[in-house]
Amino acid sequence: MSTHGDTPSTPGAGVTALAPDRGEANFADFKPPYSDREAAAEANRCLYCFDAPCIKACPTAINIPEFIRKIGTGNVEGSARTIFDQNILGMSCARVCPVEVLCVGSCVFNRMDEKPIQIGKLQRYATDRAFATGRRFYEAGPDSGKSVALVGAGPASLACAHRLRRFGHAVTIYEKRDVIGGLNTTGVAPYKMKADRALEEVEWVLGIGGVTIRTGVEIGRDVTFSDLEARHDAVFLGMGLGPDNRLGVPHEDLPGVVGAVDFIEQMKLQPANLGGVRRALVVGGGNTALDAVRELLGLGIPEVTMVYRGTESVMSGYAHEWEAARVEGATARWRSQPVACVAGADGRLAGLRVISLDDNRKPIAGSEHDIPADLILVAIGQSKLVDALSHLDGLRFEKGRLVVGPDGATGRPGWYAGGDLISGGTEVVNAVAEARDAAVAIDRFLSTPAGATA
Ligand SMILES: Cc1cc2nc3c(=O)[nH]c(=O)nc-3n(C[C@H](O)[C@H](O)[C@H](O)COP(=O)(O)OP(=O)(O)OC[C@H]3O[C@@H](n4cnc5c(N)ncnc54)[C@H](O)[C@@H]3O)c2cc1C
Ligand code: SF4
């Protein structure tokens, strides 16, 4: 093992100090928090449905009617406990979950022409109150004598680590970055949650104690996967996805053509440096593209245009996010396929050459034209991490996703996985649910005497 960044840290250490003037500081919270009175009034609107559809719509299956009822009766700490029992990242999920298509979208009030219960905002109210008291609710279990390696310090590994500590297993998280929290810290739109809040949650989760964090250690480069296996009794892979995909068109290496996830990470952790940018393009039609569009507008770029090869009706980004982007001033070029990045006479980025597509997404001959731009963000997905893992016997991939059983078990004994690595990219709440269930399966695996079948 190399000595690079190889110092065990106590919780909190390894978290880089965030610049106070980082780009994300420009953004206000788009959903202001409830006061006590507002929370009580909203909680008291809930019908506390038997067989509540919102529970089924929440990937972590939080008992939503129960936590809302507890807010209504003034038992706010009990409410938070109900949330954390199912979802230890309930504080950030309250802010970042796309509730419109999850819990809130399934509220029975939607079918009664009434405003649905604002479940995310109530969850935020309860979890923020719990954070303010400093209560952690859970303690580590008695030492089991077993140790588990977790690769990556994103939502998946954090949720898995917390549950494993409750079972009493020793836990070491290996993270290649200096900063902990994965995309919850480096990717989530700042009007939903800023990096400092994500890091506060990391500290709260790790406060259960007994978690060793090794930042700046990339498994596969600084430590081999076989070394990891030799040192620990089980392994959880929570590595997420790889770098932004590239367009694969000429002149893409011009300064000013940047991967969207890279750009967002810079904006969240560093001061923004967009002086001189007036016209920005975002290529893609997914949620990262929509976040990038809204973030550029929020940073004060006057003209922001989304360039997408499909139409509005088929884009994979959420309709409510596109609507918000449009209201904020974004425009779109539909059915437009990039063919080259274009340099001006001074050699600097001048725009994007696109060709128009017909209804069958076939290029229309002679339709090539240039869209002027000083900045192009490429938001056409993140690459998959197959290459880093494919040499390991027993791991199987489909469409770049690591294939696992329902409890996160891979085909390699003692190796489990969850989060974007297995889903190809969904939401924080999915990563938490998968990792929590994987921790239960890991505990079963570690508790089964060698030679017996789990
Ligand atoms: C721009 C953007 C915005 C998003 N916004 C939202 C949102 O608003 N709401 C929402 O619910 N979801 C959102 N998501 C999705 C959400 O962030 C992810 O689904 C979630 O973070 C997945 O968690 P994870 O732990 O699987 O992976 P990640 O969060 O990606 O964490 C993986 C970690 O593993 C580390 N790692 C990778 N390889 C190695 C290695 N070999 N050795 C050591 N460490 C390694 C990485 O550095 C990273 O820290 C967004 C995603 C993006 C890209
Ligand atoms: S975790 Fe997300 S989906 Fe589940 S109840 Fe909370 S806000 Fe809704």
Side-chain angles (χ1 to χ4, degrees):
M1 184 196 218
S2 94
T3 52
H4 175 78
D6 186 28
T7 313
S9 341
T10 50
V15 173
T16 31
L18 294 168
D21 57 346
R22 59 196 195 279
E24 71 165 6
N26 288 289
F27 291 84
D29 207 340
F30 79 152
K31 282 186 188 168
Y34 277 147
S35 65
D36 293 343
R37 205 167 46 81
E38 287 167 331
E42 186 66 2
N44 287 323
R45 276 202 320 124
C46 183
L47 300 178
Y48 313 118
C49 305
F50 174 73
D51 204 19
C54 54
I55 301 181
K56 295 196 185 81
C58 169
T60 51
I62 291 174
N63 190 334
I64 296 166
E66 185 176 310
F67 96 68
I68 294 181
R69 191 192 295 273
K70 286 179 177 168
I71 293 176
T73 58
N75 178 10
V76 182
E77 278 205 13
S79 171
R81 170 81 201 226
T82 300
I83 294 162
F84 294 136
D85 278 350
Q86 290 296 103
N87 181 340
I88 199 64
L89 299 195
M91 188 277 279
S92 60
C93 283
R95 291 167 162 78
V96 309
C97 272
V99 292
E100 295 82 353
V101 296
L102 294 175
C103 52
V104 173
S106 75
C107 176
V108 292
F109 279 143
N110 289 297
R111 280 180 272 137
M112 296 157 68
D113 263 353
E114 274 202 50
K115 190 179 175 211
I117 298 295
Q118 298 303 292
I119 298 166
K121 287 186 74 168
L122 287 171
Q123 180 169 319
R124 173 173 172 174
Y125 173 80
T127 53
D128 281 0
R129 289 289 181 286
F131 267 57
T133 66
R135 275 204 65 182
R136 295 191 196 279
F137 298 102
Y138 308 96
E139 284 182 4
D143 185 7
S144 70
K146 304 281 185 186
S147 104
V148 184
L150 295 94
V151 187
S157 288
L158 290 169
C160 188
H162 191 270
R163 192 58 69 132
L164 287 170
R165 288 299 299 135
R166 287 176 66 191
F167 291 129
H169 306 306
V171 162
T172 304
I173 300 181
Y174 298 86
E175 168 56 55
K176 68 178 180 182
R177 287 182 160 75
D178 291 333
V179 71
I180 307 174
L183 286 166
N184 228 10
T185 305
T186 65
V188 161
Y191 41 84
K192 297 181 189 167
M193 183 173 70
K194 296 195 174 60
D196 48 1
R197 197 69 180 149
L199 292 178
E200 196 186 324
E201 180 177 65
V202 168
E203 303 236 342
W204 183 84
V205 170
L206 297 184
I208 192 165
V211 180
T212 301
I213 300 274
R214 294 176 190 262
T215 50
V217 179
E218 181 172 342
I219 303 300
R221 190 194 65 175
D222 304 316
V223 179
T224 66
F225 283 96
S226 326
D227 276 351
L228 206 64
E229 190 168 45
R231 287 167 186 208
H232 299 276
D233 301 297
V235 175
F236 176 81
L237 300 172
M239 299 151 68
L241 299 171
D244 291 286
N245 287 327
R246 289 169 59 84
L247 287 170
V249 301
H251 311 304
E252 193 175 354
D253 49 359
L254 277 170
V257 185
V258 186
V261 176
D262 249 5
F263 173 85
I264 292 168
E265 177 168 346
Q266 286 280 320
M267 180 267 300
K268 284 185 67 79
L269 303 182
Q270 311 289 338
N273 180 15
L274 290 173
V277 175
R278 290 197 50 75
R279 290 176 295 201
L281 303 178
V282 178
V283 181
N287 286 314
T288 297
L290 292 176
D291 279 5
V293 163
R294 296 187 68 187
E295 285 157 7
L296 288 168
L297 288 165
L299 289 168
I301 308 302
E303 276 181 46
V304 182
T305 305
M306 200 169 75
V307 177
Y308 179 48
R309 64 199 163 118
T311 55
E312 186 173 345
S313 58
V314 299
M315 66 193 282
S316 62
Y318 296 127
H320 63 268
E321 291 284 353
W322 170 238
E323 180 54 20
R326 223 181 39 73
V327 169
E328 288 160 7
T331 56
R333 298 284 192 108
W334 309 112
R335 292 182 175 158
S336 299
Q337 172 89 47
V339 291
C341 299
V342 182
D346 57 1
R348 289 159 64 162
L349 178 69
L352 182 69
R353 185 156 304 151
V354 297
I355 189 160
S356 303
L357 303 178
D358 67 15
D359 288 349
N360 300 313
R361 292 208 181 175
K362 294 270 175 346
I364 300 170
S367 66
E368 279 191 22
H369 58 283
D370 292 352
I371 312 175
D374 329 293
L375 175 70
I376 299 174
L377 299 187
V378 181
I380 54 169
Q382 292 172 261
S383 56
K384 310 279 193 306
L385 292 175
V386 185
D387 290 350
L389 296 166
S390 55
H391 64 288
L392 293 164
D393 288 344
L395 299 192
R396 196 164 65 77
F397 293 86
E398 261 173 31
K399 294 186 180 158
R401 299 170 199 176
L402 178 60
V403 178
V404 295
D407 56 359
T410 70
R412 193 175 174 99
W415 287 55
Y416 295 77
D420 283 359
L421 177 67
I422 66 165
S423 66
T426 43
E427 313 290 348
V428 172
V429 65
N430 301 90
V432 172
E434 291 152 7
R436 177 200 65 194
D437 295 348
V440 174
I442 293 171
D443 176 59
R444 219 169 28 238
F445 170 79
L446 295 176
S447 312
T448 307
T453 318

